Amino acid sequence: MTTSTKFLLAGLLTSLALAAPQDFPLNKPFDASVALDARLAPVRLSFNNQPVLLVGSPKNVQKIPLDTVADELNPAARGAVLIRDFDFDGRKDLGIPSGVGYGGVNIFYTVYRYQPASKTFVPMSGNDFPVCNPEFSEGAQVLVTNSRSGPMWYGLDYKFKQGKPWVYRRRSPVLLEDLAKEADLLTLFEIHSPQGKVVQSFLSSDSTQAKPVSIVLKQDVSISKVPGARGLSGLLKAGQTVTLDKVERSGSHLYVHAPAGWILLPDESVHR
């Protein structure tokens, strides 16, 4: 093997190691070296069944509390330390389990980001940035989070601006029991601007992406030409199949668009 081939292979292996996600379950001790990016020396993570994670970087050892180890008697319910690029800046961060809910279904994380100046890991956006069951949409650079309450799943998805998280998308379960003959669980997508304004809303038959919604009406339903209009413009008959898409707010009420007009959504149909 030539020298140039060795360097090429070493570079390829380093790139693969940086790209690969890493999980370190807290149900057993571990001691591992982790690369955050190609410009920094690896950090060492050590856990010995105590409620603290030792993070060793050049000239510094930091102690990060592990709340789930302190609180959970069952080691299998403690979650795992996640090594991921949570904010899509090219450098991996530490996802530290901070809480467990709904019998272990919901694992909450505090995200720690490395600060080269202080050579320490600091909680992202202070400690007010809860992340539950994270998933990563690399192409769209969206941090997707999901939490369960009762039989329903809720979603809060983040984008980042100058390293700070902002709510890009909220996903709320919807049950149209008063409108639909068969009330399948739907999802209300609300897309936000970086300033927090809702710029787009729509119903979907899928909780993770936009998919058409079609229902058979349970009863006659009045429609209006525009959301919140005083006068009604028509009537959709029971048994009729209608397609529902975009959603708009008028005052304190939500209206969903059907081909013939706008239908008032019952207040209790959207679960926040």
Side-chain angles (χ1 to χ4, degrees):
M1 184 182 294
T2 65
T3 302
S4 60
T5 303
K6 289 180 179 178
F7 277 115
L8 181 62
L9 182 58
L12 177 61
L13 291 174
T14 300
S15 298
L16 290 173
L18 286 170
Q22 293 173 280
D23 298 349
F24 295 96
L26 293 172
N27 60 354
K28 60 183 179 181
F30 59 79
D31 186 84
S33 179
V34 172
L36 302 178
D37 69 25
R39 295 164 293 174
L40 296 173
V43 298
R44 185 162 247 10
L45 305 181
S46 299
F47 169 64
N48 194 27
N49 282 330
Q50 299 301 310
V52 64
L53 177 69
L54 298 180
V55 183
S57 56
K59 300 181 181 179
N60 184 58
V61 176
Q62 182 177 356
K63 295 181 179 180
I64 296 179
L66 296 172
D67 294 338
T68 61
V69 175
D71 297 340
E72 296 294 327
L73 297 178
N74 178 10
R78 295 171 176 172
V81 174
L82 306 183
I83 313 300
R84 299 283 199 286
D85 185 2
F86 281 81
D87 57 354
F88 308 100
D89 67 347
R91 176 179 294 160
K92 289 184 178 179
D93 312 293
L94 303 183
I96 306 297
S98 56
V100 179
Y102 205 72
V105 174
N106 296 331
I107 307 292
F108 295 90
Y109 294 85
T110 298
V111 179
Y112 285 78
R113 183 164 45 193
Y114 185 71
Q115 303 295 315
S118 62
K119 294 183 173 56
T120 59
F121 286 85
V122 177
M124 188 183 297
S125 190
N127 255 321
D128 58 351
F129 175 49
V131 174
C132 185
N133 300 330
E135 300 176 25
F136 302 84
S137 178
E138 301 285 350
Q141 294 198 333
V142 174
L143 173 61
V144 177
T145 76
N146 296 282
S147 61
R148 184 173 179 177
S149 179
M152 297 183 181
W153 285 90
Y154 300 77
L156 201 59
D157 307 329
Y158 298 91
K159 283 191 172 185
F160 296 83
K161 185 176 182 180
Q162 297 177 342
K164 294 184 178 180
W166 56 278
V167 175
Y168 159 69
R169 180 173 58 207
R170 185 183 298 272
R171 293 172 286 116
S172 305
V174 176
L175 270 176
L176 300 180
E177 296 176 297
D178 293 338
L179 294 178
K181 268 190 174 181
E182 296 183 5
D184 294 328
L185 190 62
L186 306 175
T187 300
L188 171 64
F189 280 68
E190 294 174 297
I191 312 299
H192 296 250
S193 70
Q195 294 73 36
K197 182 181 178 181
V198 177
V199 295
Q200 183 186 11
S201 300
F202 57 88
L203 288 183
S204 173
S205 58
D206 189 289
S207 64
T208 61
Q209 59 185 322
K211 282 193 175 180
V213 172
S214 182
I215 65 170
V216 177
L217 293 177
K218 181 179 182 179
Q219 58 189 3
D220 294 351
V221 176
S222 300
I223 57 174
S224 55
K225 286 185 178 180
V226 295
R230 288 175 179 268
L232 301 175
S233 63
L235 192 71
L236 299 175
K237 303 297 289 183
Q240 186 174 343
T241 300
V242 296
T243 300
L244 307 177
D245 43 50
K246 59 185 176 180
V247 173
E248 289 191 11
R249 178 177 293 277
S250 177
S252 60
H253 299 292
L254 292 176
Y255 292 78
V256 62
H257 183 259
W262 292 85
I263 300 171
L264 175 66
L265 284 177
D267 291 337
E268 66 278 6
S269 63
V270 180
H271 298 259
R272 302 287 190 178

